[in-house]
Amino acid sequence: MNYFVSSLTELLARFIVLFTAITVHEYAHGWAAYKMGDPTAKYAGRLSLNPMSHLDPVGALCMLLFRFGWAKPVPINPMYFRDRKRDSAIVAAAGPLANIALAFVSTILFALYYVYIYLNFQNFVTRFVYTLFMQLAVVNISFAVFNLIPFPPLDGSKILGAFLSYENYGKLLQYERFGFPVLILLSLTGILGRILSLFINPLFSLWLASLNGLVSIFM
């Protein structure tokens, strides 16, 4: 029974965290595009922190079950940009940067919560919030790293495009429609997870060391 409750609690926390990470990520794309002169996301109702505005039901289910999924992409029209490559890269970078910022804030809150509340009060609610803060930091770090992979249609490919010639940038965009099925295949075969672990594991070690340092400061 305890195992069931623990699993259900972890699933609920993951559900909340994934929706938060996706919402912040997609909102940041839309906000950056709007600041670059593109009102498409605003007119589509995507400049919102309401998770339902960004939810893709199948993508959300896949994230919960397989830890790989997707949200509804924020509509962007690069024709509004002054410099298509540069501004597209800025808009693309906004999503992962928002996740990194959320992970940073979550880590500080996690350390404060652990020292001043969790160590003094042990019950179902405090354990749930503990899990929530921990996953909020971990998932946002993972989400940022994944989206920074320079492989279309991920954000990293748009950032890479800023450093390519217009000819090569155009060729890169041609492969966007093939990239998503390839990512799903790599995920199902476990190859994607092994590639991500090369980058995420060192970052998690750094995150854990930073968390321990914060806890030491607050205690």
Side-chain angles (χ1 to χ4, degrees):
M1 187 64 178
N2 288 337
Y3 175 76
F4 175 77
V5 172
S6 177
S7 299
L8 190 62
T9 300
E10 185 174 345
L11 184 63
L12 178 60
R14 189 190 309 169
F15 182 84
I16 295 172
V17 165
L18 285 173
F19 270 61
T20 302
I22 287 172
T23 300
V24 168
H25 183 94
E26 296 300 331
Y27 175 83
H29 282 318
W31 179 83
Y34 183 67
K35 291 298 181 180
M36 293 293 109
D38 177 14
T40 308
K42 181 181 179 180
Y43 294 152
R46 299 298 299 279
L47 283 187
S48 170
L49 289 174
N50 179 1
M52 302 307 295
S53 299
H54 310 288
L55 176 67
D56 183 296
V58 176
L61 182 62
C62 287
M63 273 191 277
L64 286 172
L65 298 178
F66 309 115
R67 301 193 178 188
F68 171 80
W70 54 92
K72 286 194 299 186
V74 169
I76 304 294
N77 187 351
M79 296 301 294
Y80 285 101
F81 298 155
R82 292 183 179 180
D83 186 317
R84 182 173 179 177
K85 287 197 305 173
R86 182 202 64 191
D87 294 349
S88 293
I90 292 172
V91 171
L97 287 175
N99 290 122
I100 292 171
L102 186 54
F104 177 77
V105 172
S106 301
T107 301
I108 295 175
L109 293 176
F110 184 24
L112 287 168
Y113 176 82
Y114 178 79
V115 171
Y116 295 110
I117 297 179
Y118 185 74
L119 290 180
N120 300 306
F121 305 98
Q122 292 285 329
N123 55 50
F124 174 80
V125 175
T126 57
R127 285 193 293 272
F128 174 74
V129 177
Y130 174 91
T131 302
L132 196 64
F133 274 132
M134 180 178 66
Q135 289 202 19
L136 195 58
V138 169
V139 167
N140 274 283
I141 292 171
S142 302
F143 207 54
V145 172
F146 170 70
N147 279 282
L148 285 172
I149 296 175
F151 186 85
L154 299 177
D155 296 327
S157 65
K158 307 288 196 312
I159 298 171
L160 174 65
F163 302 96
L164 300 177
S165 65
Y166 274 98
E167 180 182 356
N168 289 329
Y169 180 65
K171 291 179 180 178
L172 181 66
L173 293 179
Q174 292 176 2
Y175 292 104
E176 276 198 336
R177 65 182 183 275
F178 304 112
F180 195 64
V182 171
L183 287 173
I184 293 177
L185 179 62
L186 292 175
S187 177
L188 293 175
T189 57
I191 296 175
L192 181 61
R194 288 194 290 272
I195 294 173
L196 286 174
S197 66
L198 297 175
F199 303 96
I200 291 177
N201 288 345
L203 285 176
F204 280 165
S205 297
L206 180 61
W207 172 76
L208 189 58
S210 301
L211 179 62
N212 290 333
L214 285 172
V215 169
S216 299
I217 292 171
F218 296 144
M219 290 189 72

